Amino acid sequence: MEITSFQWGITIALIVALLAYDFIFHVRKSHEPSIKEAAIWSAAYVGIALLFGFVILWLDGPTLMAEYYGGYVTEKALSVDNLFVFLIIIGSFAVPRADQQKVLLFGIIFALIARTVFIFIGAAAINTFAWVFYLFGLILIFTAGNLIKGEVTDDKSDEANNIVVRLAKKVFHTTDYYDGDKLFTRHNGKRALTPMLLVMVAIGGTDILFALDSIPAIFGLTQEPYIVFTATAFSLMGLRQLYFLIDGLLDRLIYLSWGLSIILAFIGVKLILHALHENTLPFINGGEHVAVAEIGIGTSLTVILSVLALTVLVSLYSPKGRALRTIQKTQDLTEKYLALPQDADAEERHKIAGELARLQKRFPRISEKHKNELIDSRARFRKMLETARGQHREFEETGRVQTPSPDFAEESHRDDTASPAAPGANTGKAAPAGETAGDATPGAGTTRGDSSGGGSTAAR
């Protein structure tokens, strides 16, 4: 069925209106969105995307609706994975919490523009050269391997320090401090770039790389440019709110890279099968199509949803996932206790101390392998935990706490500054503190704090 120009125009106007509303009413005035605000708007954007599928059903039929939902789910999953990289970039540039919304919205708009360009390039290539399906399939299989390369080899790239940023720092006069959300400022009497502009450049550069992965993936589910565009656009809508909603929870999806790798490899195989079916290359079966079974959109949607559901369940309930939750909660409660004022309510102190004692009983069940994978700064965490215990013993004996809490945040900042890894990076370990990995002391290290300066998270 032919998509009319009127339908294209109304759809583009809707997307532009949503982006404009997001900027005018949420981003223009710098602020940190609350969990409630992020949850409401995340649900709203997901609801709009799901309702749009019924519009496609009404206007274009059930086949395109199924293709839209399959593309939307795939692109949404890839967008969530992209948030890991946003965490790295935003953390490495130490973007103030209140200004992160503007950076994220820029990233979303740039991603939409970049992917739109790739969509029409890809659609034109497909219409002209059927062999492009082979290329897209191989790209996805290669990408699938790269996704788990870091999991297997522990080889992590520095996403924030890409070539564009390094070039900008060499060519232009830059500052090391922010001036609100300004892109330019005056430094030593000269006009200079602020880190706010550099972080946007870094996100824009990585958005182009994301487009190279995501567009072939969705073309594996549908070749209709309108469906590719709308599924991609609506998957990006609400990504800013989702960032603040699940900030600190992303790292709990410790097997997300494996799940996405399976999905991309599956779609890559699907594309190659389709390429064989439509084959025109003379060196394959004499230029004739190859009689192979093709994978339907219903099967594709089922596989995608099943893999994502399994990925979440395994991430949360596997031994490694349970160990991660125990470690994270222990650190969060320890930090909470150490941050209590001297005149804090006795009931609150007892409640936190009791929960910490309960969590401590779980640590003997955590393997040394998982401790070493998830945590690095064992000495620092043990110091935190022992200080909290000492303060509580002091409170029980004297009714007051006089022992001061060490400034662990400052220690962490010094460690992160000295380390080449970006704060909040998805490394699976915290900033090193010089502790041996074999120590079985409960709470064997601090998990790296999230890039926003909020709660702590352990990375994959």
Side-chain angles (χ1 to χ4, degrees), residues 281-292:
L281 294 178
F283 54 84
I284 298 179
N285 199 34
E288 299 294 326
H289 84 277
V290 181
V292 293

Side-chain angles (χ1 to χ4, degrees), residues 110 114 212 235 332:
F110 192 90
L212 292 173
S235 72
D332 290 343

